């Protein structure tokens, strides 16, 4: 037992900007609490920093300077995989990228008992076959596979994935999932169609959201609804629906057809005010019925129906009462009846997303330590 306990846990981190940077800052506070756990690789798209031997560790105090000074090129998934095979250490791969090539390699990592921690939505919402392969290659589906954690793939640091897993694993029957899954869309609609007051013009609210950093550099990447659709695909697959992709169900885009061909985000924003009347009509018609509009996603399990788009809500509804950029997800189940289990809070931002990844990493460290003793 003593010899087994001397084995080390090595953490390889892909992605060091945005969420990755926040995650590494959190690691500097978290990892000193754990014995025999260290970071051995930090990589970004254009360069990498790794230990010269498996007995070395990377500094979490000087990693940014060290990575900038590194002349080592980026590593392909295959190169990373082959490098992992040169050690007896237990490996935790933390993938903070949105890289499809890395996601496609998850099954191979997992089959080689590498634990995977990631917020990468593409891994779980693109090809159905890939998703099935990832799940089937991980523990406990494969008793010899690595552990898999992806809490932050839906709702950043909110406990959405873990809550759904708990409901399913304890035998509850999930009937419907509905909510606001985008911090960007939450901010937009809470200001465009508030419960009290008139709200601003649609283009003005989009501009405010962009200036506040809530949207992508090109707001069309948020307004097309695909980000929300990816999250719905992940949850739908978890409850047993065989959803092929985001194109397999209705996804409402808020990009006027005339602006789909804009060559830049700047051009889109310049031309958007000409279409304010369309969104104003949607808001006014809802207000005339005493309701407000919100951009939501829903999964009706019995009907096997998934939808993303604008929907009207009574002003007293929990979804209507959101503030700021909060997300809210309601789980309607057999046990909870008419009163859904609700998860609500900040669902976007580097710090909270990194927190979700960090929490998964801590679970992984504990599971891997147990694995080293038992297995």
């Amino acid at each position: 037992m003593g010899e087994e306990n001397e084995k080390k846990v090595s953490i390889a981190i892909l992605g060091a900007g945005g969420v990755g940077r926040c995650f590494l800052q959190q690691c500097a506070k978290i990892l000193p609490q754990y014995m025999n756990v260290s970071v051995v690789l930090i990589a970004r798209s254009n360069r990498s920093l790794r230990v010269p031997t498996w007995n070395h560790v990377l500094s979490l105090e000087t990693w940014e300077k060290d990575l900038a000074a590194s002349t080592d090129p980026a590593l392909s998934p295959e190169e990373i995989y082959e490098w992992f095979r040169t050690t007896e250490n237990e490996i935790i791969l933390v993938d903070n990228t949105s890289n499809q090539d890395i996601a496609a390699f998850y099954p191979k990592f997992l089959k080689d008992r590498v634990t995977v921690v990631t917020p990468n939505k593409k891994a779980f919402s693109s090809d159905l076959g890939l998703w099935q392969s990832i799940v089937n290659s991980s523990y406990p589906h494969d008793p010899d596979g690595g552990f898999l954690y992806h809490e932050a793939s839906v709702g950043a640091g909110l406990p959405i994935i873990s809550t759904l897993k708990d409901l399913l694993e304890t035998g509850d029957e999930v009937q419907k999932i509905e909510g606001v899954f985008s911090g960007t869309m939450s901010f937009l609609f809470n200001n465009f169609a508030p419960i009290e007051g008139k709200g601003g013009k649609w283009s003005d609210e989009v501009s405010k959201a962009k200036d506040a950093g809530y949207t992508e550099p090109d707001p069309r990447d948020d307004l097309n609804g695909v980000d929300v659709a990816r999250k719905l695909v992940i949850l739908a697959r978890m409850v047993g629906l065989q959803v092929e992709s985001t194109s397999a169900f209705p996804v409402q885009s808020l990009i006027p057809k005339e602006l789909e061909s804009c060559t830049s985000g700047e051009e889109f924003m310049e031309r958007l005010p000409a279409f304010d009347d369309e969104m104003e009509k949607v808001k006014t018609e809802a207000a005339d019925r005493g309701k407000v509009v919100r951009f939501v996603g829903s999964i009706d399990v019995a009907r096997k129906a998934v939808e993303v788009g604008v929907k009207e809500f009574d002003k007293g509804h929990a979804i209507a009462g959101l503030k700021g950029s909060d997300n809210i997800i309601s789980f309607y189940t057999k046990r909870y009846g008419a009163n859904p289990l609700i998860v609500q809070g900040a669902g976007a931002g580097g710090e909270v997303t990194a927190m979700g990844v960090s929490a998964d990493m801590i679970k992984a460290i504990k599971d891997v330590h147990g694995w080293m003793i038992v297995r």
Side-chain angles (χ1 to χ4, degrees), residues 143-154:
D144 295 318
F147 295 101
L148 174 66
Y149 304 88
H150 61 104
E151 183 72 76
S153 64
V154 178

Side-chain angles (χ1 to χ4, degrees), residues 19-20 22-24 26 96 152 157 349-359:
V19 171
C22 294
F23 170 74
L24 279 157
Q26 292 175 19
N96 288 314
E351 290 289 345
V352 292
T353 301
M355 185 277 288
V357 179
S358 295

Side-chain angles (χ1 to χ4, degrees), residues 4 25 99 145 159 168 178 200 251-252 258 271 361 366:
E4 191 74 6
Q25 290 169 348
N99 188 299
L168 295 171
E178 182 176 60
V251 178
Q252 182 180 359
E258 296 87 344
R271 295 176 59 187
M361 178 189 66
K366 292 178 179 178

Side-chain angles (χ1 to χ4, degrees), residues 230-244:
R230 286 189 182 279
K231 297 169 186 176
L232 269 288
V233 169
I234 295 170
L235 299 181
R237 288 173 175 174
M238 288 181 65
V239 298
L241 301 186
Q242 300 297 296
V243 181
E244 288 290 341

Side-chain angles (χ1 to χ4, degrees), residues 20 34 80 103 109 185 200 204 251 308 318 328:
Y34 296 92
I80 295 170
F109 284 126
M185 291 300 201
D204 288 343
V251 178
V308 174
I328 182 170

Side-chain angles (χ1 to χ4, degrees), residues 4-5 7 9 89-93 109-116 137-140 142-149 363-375:
E4 191 74 6
N5 279 339
K7 289 179 70 174
V9 178
N89 294 358
E90 298 291 346
I91 304 289
I92 298 174
L93 174 67
F109 284 126
L110 290 162
K111 286 176 183 176
D112 216 42
R113 227 170 82 156
V114 172
T115 287
V116 175
S137 300
S138 65
Y139 184 85
D142 180 347
D144 295 318
F147 295 101
L148 174 66
Y149 304 88
K363 294 173 188 173
I365 291 170
K366 292 178 179 178
D367 280 342
V368 168
H369 268 302
W371 194 3
M372 288 161 59
I373 296 170
V374 175
R375 298 169 68 183

Side-chain angles (χ1 to χ4, degrees), residues 72-183:
D72 291 341
L75 299 171
S76 70
E78 181 68 42
E79 289 172 321
I80 295 170
Y81 172 80
E82 292 299 333
W83 182 54
F84 287 169
R85 292 177 67 84
T86 65
T87 182
E88 293 295 318
N89 294 358
E90 298 291 346
I91 304 289
I92 298 174
L93 174 67
V94 181
D95 176 22
N96 288 314
T97 76
S98 59
N99 188 299
Q100 185 68 52
D101 292 336
I102 296 172
F105 226 83
Y106 287 176
K108 194 167 183 178
F109 284 126
L110 290 162
K111 286 176 183 176
D112 216 42
R113 227 170 82 156
V114 172
T115 287
V116 175
V117 173
T118 183
N120 188 347
K121 289 188 285 291
K122 292 180 180 178
F124 308 97
S125 63
S126 53
D127 180 69
L128 178 60
L130 173 60
W131 178 80
Q132 291 170 332
S133 181
I134 291 171
V135 172
N136 291 335
S137 300
S138 65
Y139 184 85
H141 301 275
D142 180 347
D144 295 318
F147 295 101
L148 174 66
Y149 304 88
H150 61 104
E151 183 72 76
S153 64
V154 178
L158 294 178
I160 297 171
I161 296 289
S162 55
T163 296
L164 181 55
K165 285 182 68 175
D166 288 346
L167 291 170
L168 295 171
E169 291 177 1
T170 57
D172 202 353
E173 181 183 319
V174 178
Q175 299 161 337
K176 182 180 179 181
I177 303 171
E178 182 176 60
V180 174
F181 291 85
S182 164

Side-chain angles (χ1 to χ4, degrees), residues 27-58:
C27 281
K29 298 178 180 178
I30 295 168
L31 292 183
Q33 303 173 55
Y34 296 92
M35 292 182 62
N36 295 327
V37 178
S38 61
V39 174
V40 296
L41 170 68
I42 301 173
R44 59 191 347 154
S45 60
N46 61 349
R47 69 185 66 198
S48 62
L49 176 70
R50 60 172 161 167
V51 291
T53 74
W54 289 99
N55 291 322
H56 287 75
V57 301
L58 296 182

